[in-house]
Structure formats: structure tokens, C-alpha cells
Amino acid sequence: MSSSAIWMFGLALAYTLLLIVMSQIAKKKAQAGEDFFVGGRKFSRWTVAFCITGLFSGSTYIAILELSYLTGISALWYGVAELTHVLIIALVLIGPFRKRMMVTISGLIGDKYGRAAKGIAGGITAITFPMWSVATALAFASCINAITGMDMLLSVVLTAALMYVFLSAGGMWSVAMTQTANFFVFMIMFAVAIYAIAINPGFDAVATLLTTDVKYGSLTSVGLQTILAWFGTFLINVLLAQAAFQMALSCKTADEGRKGLLIASGFNVIFIAMGVLVGAAAAIAMPGNARGLVAVPKYLMETLPAPMVGLFTLGIWACALGWGAPCQFSGATSLGRDVGSAIWPNASDAKLVKLTRLSLLALTCLMIMFGYLRSEQAAWWNIFAWTARNGATFAPMVAALFWSVATPRGALTALIAGCGAGLVWNWLGGWAVNSFYLKIHPVWVAMAANIIGMCIVSLAEKGWEFIRPSGGLLVLRNVAVMLALALSVALAAAGTWFYQTGLWGMTAFLAVLCAWVALIFSTERQKTTTI
């Protein structure tokens, strides 16, 4: 084993042992149900900031690192899309959701539409979170593979086991302590990266690549369809960011949560810039590799002494934990708390906590299986997870907040139709990561089926009526109608262009969404009167 490998394993093990000790401290704070699931709603703005930074900025850094190695500066759009997503949550949603004392999206759907909807939404949500976890766990596993030559599957098993050990003890308090520690590890990783770039290839060389090279200097080399898909996915996901909500809504007050999210947005800019710089530096020093996440540690091994390589890979491990740990915990919450309470409606908090700990073990095993099935394409798991979870829960979540006409049968139909349509579209496309059936991303098909299924079944049931909104709602209704018509006309008149550019699916979904928004403002549940 090389000296770099020894340092990597030694630091990762020492750091994980520290987290395990911290999780045992957290365990004392997480005895009651609310303490375990949402930290007793006692988090300060800085705790929220560190949690959200670890969740989104760490995963963004890994994604941009990989993308910038392959495509250059255009990778920053992924970070800008994610930053926009966090700002909307901070400025629009944190207040209303904190008032509802929400824990999970699937729980909110179940509270509105009943136990069956809660069970299905919780089950789908739980299965998809390990897909997101494995995407970043594979980043650290790739470092293990590149530095030691260890089998990729064994690397994933080791990563998943380390993640499980400390998470199972203290619930949300373990997540908070982990994310706080991760933040300082991130800063060390960036210091190492800056030093490495200064030595090889030098900041002037990186600047030259990013300003003069045709591919690496273009803001659109990653592809317009991909950039729009990032923005579309993150914007749509604003209402469905369960792991982020679970951490942010653990705040003392809505104002504390909002300030924490805004602080995290500022930190995110640093992660975006560093991801682009490190990826570009590796492209200069170690060109021709198919995977940036393998090329970067090899570049660092050629440039830095072993202890510094170990510190950088410790940062990658922190990124994997920062995203994977909250995702695993939030998925386990949906499975243990929501599915558990759907099956046993009278279950005590203690039983739900126990079920959640067991669910965490089950989802860890599931994450390992996902890594085994498709370890060479981490990005594919993100696509599959977005499609399955968003395709199932988008319409029920929006309806639970804004549309009184929606019915439990409509919600169940939406859950099944959306998830099912996404699976079928992925199958028709051969489960590909970057070439979709008819050039339409599966998430647009899934979410359109989700909305249409909800509307057809809910409107088929009695008890609703058309209304004429007034004031600002009338303006919003009319704007939605005009947008739906304009998008439909554009598709009809320039369908070939939309198809060739890969924008047909997203445009069609937006037309369906605008039509639904207009319907929401034009209908309501009939009011019952008593004599």
C-alpha cells in the first residue's frame, strides 16, 4: 500500500471515529421522537448553515469537479442552479413550512391524503434517497480505488459501513454535528487544492485554459439541454427538497432558519469556484481520463506529498458524508416514521425511532446494492432518483398546499402514474445516463403523468366547482393560461427545433404545469352548508 493510501485511510478512519464519538454524545440528545427526527427544533442559524453547506455545497463541489474536468467552466451552471434552489427555499418556503412543523414531504402528503398515500410516498422516497447517497459515496470510493487499487464494490461497502455506524446513534443531532465538522474539513481541502494548483500547473495555466480553449472556456460546452435540465430540476425540486427541509426546519425559529440558508448560499460560491479550478487543473496535468473523480486524486499524488493527498481525500470523504448522511437519514425517516406510522397508526415515538434505525440499516444495504449495479456512472443514479421521487410526489405535494379539489384517490393515482411513467421512459431509453428516449428527460414525462393523473381522477369525483378568482389571483390565473397557450403554440409551430435541441420534453411539461396552475386558481372544493 502506498504512503498516500495509508494517509487517506488513516485520516478517514480517525475522522470517522471522531464522528462516532460525537454521535454518542448526540445520542443523549435524541431520545424523544422530535429530538431524533428534527433535533428538537433547537438549531441556530450557524448549525443550519453548516448543515445546508454540507448537504448541497459538498455534493455540488463533487459534481462540478467531475464536470469541469470534462467540460470546463460550463460546469459552474450546476452550482448556480443549486444556489438558486437554496435561495428560493430561504426567501419563500422556510416560513410557511416551519409554521406547519413539517418533518418530511411524505409525512405532509400522508397528513392530507391518508395512510395509503403516506405509505406509498414514504416508500418511494425512502428507496430513492440511497440513490443520491451512492452518487457521492462513489466519489470517495473512486479515491480509494484510484489510490489503493481496491475493488470498487469493496470500496463502496467500506464507505457505506462507515457512514452507517455514526448515523444510527443520534439521528438529526448526529447529522448536525457531522456537518459542522465537515465544514472545517472542507476548508482544509480547499487550502490543499490551492497549494496544489499553485505548484502544478499554476493558476496562469488554468486561467489560460478557461479563457482560450474552445471547449473548456465555453459557458455552454456541457450542452444547453443539460444546463436547462439542471435549472428545471432544481427549481421543480424546491418543494420536494426533503433532506434540506428536515435540517432547515430543525431551526429555533423561521428567521434563524432563513439566515442559516442565506449564509450557506454565500459559502456555496466558494465551492463552485473551487470545483471549476481543481477540475481544470487536473485536466491540464492528467488529461485523457474518462472520469474526473479518478483523475483528480492521481493528479494530486503526482503533485503533493502523501499527507496532503490524505487531507484532500478526507475532504472528499466529508463531501460524501455531507450529502450521503442526510439523504440516508431522511430516507430512513420516510421509511421508519412515515411508512411505519402508515402501517401502525398508533405506534409510539419510541417504536418509530426504532423503526427508523432499522430502516437506516436497510437503506445502507440498498445503497451498497446500487453501487454494485452501476458503480461506473454515479450521475445515472441522480437521474433515476429525481425521476422516481419527483415524478411521484410533486403533484400531491403541490396539491396538499394549494389545491383543495385534489382527493386521496387523485393523490394515489399521481404517485403511481408518475413513478411508473418515469420507470417506463427510462426503460425505453435503455437506462442511459445522457441519451434519453426521443431526447426527452424521463423526469419531465414522470412529472407530467403525475399532474395529469392527479387532475383526471380528482376532477372525476364530485364536490368541486369552478370559481372566478379576483385581484392578484386573477392575474396569476390569466398569466398561467397565456403561458400554457404560448408554449403549446410554440411546440406546434417549431416542434422540430424543440426536438433537435432536446427541449421538447421540458417545454411540454411547462405547458402542462401552467395549465394546472390555471386550473388550481379556477376551481375549489364546494363548501358544505348545515341547517
Side-chain angles (χ1 to χ4, degrees):
M1 185 178 290
S2 68
S3 57
S4 294
I6 293 172
W7 276 97
M8 180 186 70
F9 278 122
L11 288 172
L13 181 59
Y15 183 61
T16 306
L17 289 173
L18 172 63
L19 295 180
I20 292 171
V21 172
M22 293 169 65
S23 71
Q24 294 305 309
I25 298 172
K27 188 174 182 178
K28 299 177 182 178
K29 297 183 176 183
Q31 298 303 315
E34 188 168 88
D35 290 329
F36 187 81
F37 294 121
V38 287
R41 304 205 189 266
K42 298 174 183 176
F43 288 2
S44 68
R45 70 188 66 174
W46 286 102
T47 302
V48 171
F50 292 147
C51 283
I52 298 299
T53 298
L55 176 70
F56 285 128
S57 299
S59 63
T60 294
Y61 175 73
I62 286 178
I64 293 177
L65 196 68
E66 174 90 353
L67 290 163
S68 63
Y69 175 83
L70 299 171
T71 63
I73 199 169
S74 63
L76 66 82
W77 289 115
Y78 183 95
V80 175
E82 181 270 320
L83 177 61
T84 304
H85 167 261
V86 174
L87 288 172
I88 293 173
I89 293 174
L91 299 175
V92 179
L93 297 178
I94 190 70
F97 281 5
R98 181 63 173 79
K99 288 180 181 178
R100 288 174 175 265
M101 305 296 279
M102 190 182 81
V103 177
T104 61
I105 299 298
S106 49
L108 180 62
I109 291 172
D111 292 341
K112 181 72 173 180
Y113 299 114
R115 289 166 55 190
K118 179 189 283 189
I120 295 174
I124 292 172
T125 300
I127 291 171
T128 56
F129 269 115
M131 298 178 190
W132 282 305
S133 299
V134 78
T136 46
L138 282 168
F140 183 68
S142 296
C143 289
I144 296 175
N145 175 262
I147 294 174
T148 69
M150 184 183 293
D151 178 75
M152 195 66 176
L153 176 60
L154 184 58
S155 301
V156 172
V157 171
L158 179 61
T159 302
L162 290 173
M163 193 180 297
Y164 167 76
V165 169
F166 72 85
L167 253 185
S168 60
M172 185 53 71
W173 282 109
S174 288
V175 171
M177 289 184 174
T178 299
Q179 298 292 58
T180 301
N182 284 342
F183 177 82
F184 294 101
V185 174
F186 294 150
M187 297 302 108
I188 294 172
M189 174 180 65
F190 291 154
V192 170
I194 290 171
Y195 180 68
I197 295 171
I199 296 175
N200 177 31
F203 283 99
D204 288 342
V206 173
T208 300
L209 179 73
L210 296 178
T211 54
T212 62
D213 187 273
V214 174
K215 181 176 75 169
Y216 283 87
S218 172
L219 283 171
T220 58
S221 62
V222 73
L224 179 61
Q225 180 188 7
T226 300
I227 295 171
L228 291 175
W230 288 339
F231 275 93
T233 301
F234 274 115
L235 291 176
I236 292 299
N237 195 59
V238 161
L239 287 171
L240 302 174
Q242 177 170 298
F245 286 132
Q246 196 169 353
M247 291 188 293
L249 295 175
S250 298
C251 55
K252 295 177 181 177
T253 64
D255 187 56
E256 281 289 288
R258 183 179 299 107
K259 289 176 180 176
L261 286 161
L262 293 175
I263 293 169
S265 299
F267 289 145
N268 190 41
V269 176
I270 301 172
F271 285 76
I272 294 171
M274 289 304 302
V276 171
L277 290 174
V278 175
I284 296 172
M286 193 69 59
N289 202 300
R291 295 198 63 197
L293 292 174
V294 173
V296 167
K298 289 184 176 180
Y299 149 62
L300 293 170
M301 288 171 65
E302 287 196 354
T303 306
L304 299 174
M308 298 189 77
V309 175
L311 287 172
F312 184 89
T313 55
L314 180 62
I316 299 296
W317 173 227
C319 289
L321 290 177
W323 173 262
C327 284
Q328 287 293 90
F329 179 67
S330 194
T333 302
S334 281
L335 185 57
R337 180 180 181 273
D338 297 337
V339 177
S341 61
I343 298 172
W344 298 285
N346 297 320
S348 64
D349 279 352
K351 182 173 182 177
L352 295 179
V353 169
K354 182 178 180 180
L355 288 172
T356 300
R357 287 195 168 107
L358 291 173
S359 298
L360 189 58
L361 177 60
L363 295 189
T364 299
C365 295
L366 195 59
M367 183 174 76
I368 293 170
M369 186 184 76
F370 289 154
Y372 171 74
L373 290 175
R374 204 155 185 169
S375 61
E376 79 284 0
Q377 289 180 326
W380 184 85
W381 287 115
N382 282 330
I383 293 171
F384 195 86
W386 289 121
T387 301
R389 198 279 304 273
N390 288 23
T393 59
F394 176 73
M397 177 61 179
V398 173
L401 295 173
F402 305 114
W403 198 33
S404 62
V405 172
T407 64
R409 290 190 186 91
L412 288 172
T413 302
L415 288 164
I416 296 169
C419 186
L423 289 173
V424 169
W425 206 261
N426 263 302
W427 172 70
L428 290 172
W431 312 101
V433 66
N434 54 11
S435 58
F436 307 119
Y437 184 62
L438 298 181
K439 295 186 178 182
I440 298 175
H441 196 296
V443 76
W444 308 129
V445 176
M447 293 174 69
N450 188 235
I451 293 172
I452 293 169
M454 167 74 81
C455 291
I456 290 175
V457 174
S458 295
L459 294 175
E461 300 188 41
K462 298 178 180 180
W464 61 274
E465 61 187 354
F466 282 109
I467 60 169
R468 187 180 188 277
S470 59
L473 294 181
L474 178 62
V475 174
L476 289 174
R477 194 276 307 270
N478 291 340
V479 169
V481 170
M482 288 187 290
L483 283 174
L485 290 174
L487 291 170
S488 300
V489 170
L491 285 173
T496 301
W497 180 84
F498 280 102
Y499 174 77
Q500 290 174 344
T501 56
L503 299 177
W504 200 97
M506 185 177 71
T507 306
F509 166 73
L510 290 175
V512 171
L513 178 62
C514 289
W516 187 37
V517 170
L519 183 65
I520 288 173
F521 289 131
S522 301
T523 55
E524 69 176 12
R525 177 66 45 190
Q526 288 179 342
K527 297 179 176 63
T528 57
T529 58
T530 57
I531 299 176

